[in-house]
Amino acid sequence: MNDPRPAAAEPELRTTRLSLRRPVEGDIGAIFAIHRDPETCRHNPGDALGRFTEAEALYRRWNDQWERYGYGYWTVRQHGSDRPLGFCGVKVMELHGTNVLNLFYRFATSAWGQGFAGEAATAVTAWVSLNVPDRTLIARIRPANIASHRVAVRAGLTRAPHLDGPGHDGFDRIYAKEQPQPEPSPSPAP
């Protein structure tokens, strides 16, 4: 994946209620707490963590993404709070032979049902549109994960059933950010 590194992401994305910042080592405890909760990984059991050392390794992979590309996953907090609600961001991956950005969001169960995931995912989608416009943005979602489907739609992605297929933990339904279509060339006059 020889991807030219874009300008580094803003150190913080802000929404009406949320602050999204690049993860730091101090976030490893939250990474562990959120990823060891069976409910947060119900639809993606392969993402569940059982040991703190796994959270440390996951943080290193996230940090490596930031070092390599200048973007990745953000830690999400409410304004004025030090407690992470969850994580939202993008990673470079391959889908059907094409490099894409996969939109990720995972929040503590205490943050569910309050619109935080949709708000964060919308901010990340807007950032991608401005900073990595040449890369297709997708979200891979298990069919039964209704809440995640809603978040993807709220963030501006639409169903792309032609991209559906097997994923790491099961079948993935794909949502994608619509790419602007090129203007058709005028036909020559007869």
Side-chain angles (χ1 to χ4, degrees), residues 27-42 44-62 87 104 106 168-169:
D27 294 327
I28 295 173
I31 292 169
F32 182 57
I34 291 170
H35 287 82
R36 78 172 172 194
D37 181 341
E39 278 302 299
T40 65
C41 296
R42 180 175 14 140
N44 303 91
D47 291 350
L49 301 179
R51 295 186 316 274
F52 193 79
T53 56
E54 294 172 318
E56 292 171 323
L58 183 57
Y59 165 75
R60 283 192 300 276
R61 286 194 305 272
W62 290 2
F87 305 94
F104 168 85
R106 180 162 292 137
H168 177 69
D169 284 331

Side-chain angles (χ1 to χ4, degrees), residues 1 5 8 36-37 44 48 53 59 62 72 94 100 113 132-133 140 154 161 165 178 188:
M1 292 183 206
R5 183 181 165 135
R36 78 172 172 194
D37 181 341
N44 303 91
T53 56
Y59 165 75
W62 290 2
E94 188 176 299
V100 298
V132 197
R140 299 172 299 140
R154 180 172 175 197
E178 289 186 14

Side-chain angles (χ1 to χ4, degrees), residues 98-127:
T98 302
N99 288 338
V100 298
L101 292 178
N102 182 64
L103 178 63
F104 168 85
Y105 35 90
R106 180 162 292 137
F107 284 75
T109 56
S110 61
W112 289 5
Q114 300 175 59
F116 294 135
E119 191 171 325
T122 299
V124 169
T125 299
W127 184 89

Side-chain angles (χ1 to χ4, degrees), residues 48-104:
L49 301 179
R51 295 186 316 274
F52 193 79
T53 56
E54 294 172 318
E56 292 171 323
L58 183 57
Y59 165 75
R60 283 192 300 276
R61 286 194 305 272
W62 290 2
N63 194 56
D64 289 347
Q65 165 85 19
W66 276 93
E67 292 297 319
R68 183 170 180 186
Y69 297 104
Y71 54 84
Y73 295 162
W74 281 269
T75 301
V76 182
R77 294 176 174 82
Q78 283 186 281
H79 294 302
S81 174
D82 291 331
R83 184 176 61 90
L85 298 170
F87 305 94
C88 183
V90 292
K91 76 172 183 178
V92 176
M93 64 164 285
E94 188 176 299
L95 180 69
H96 304 300
T98 302
N99 288 338
V100 298
L101 292 178
N102 182 64
L103 178 63
F104 168 85

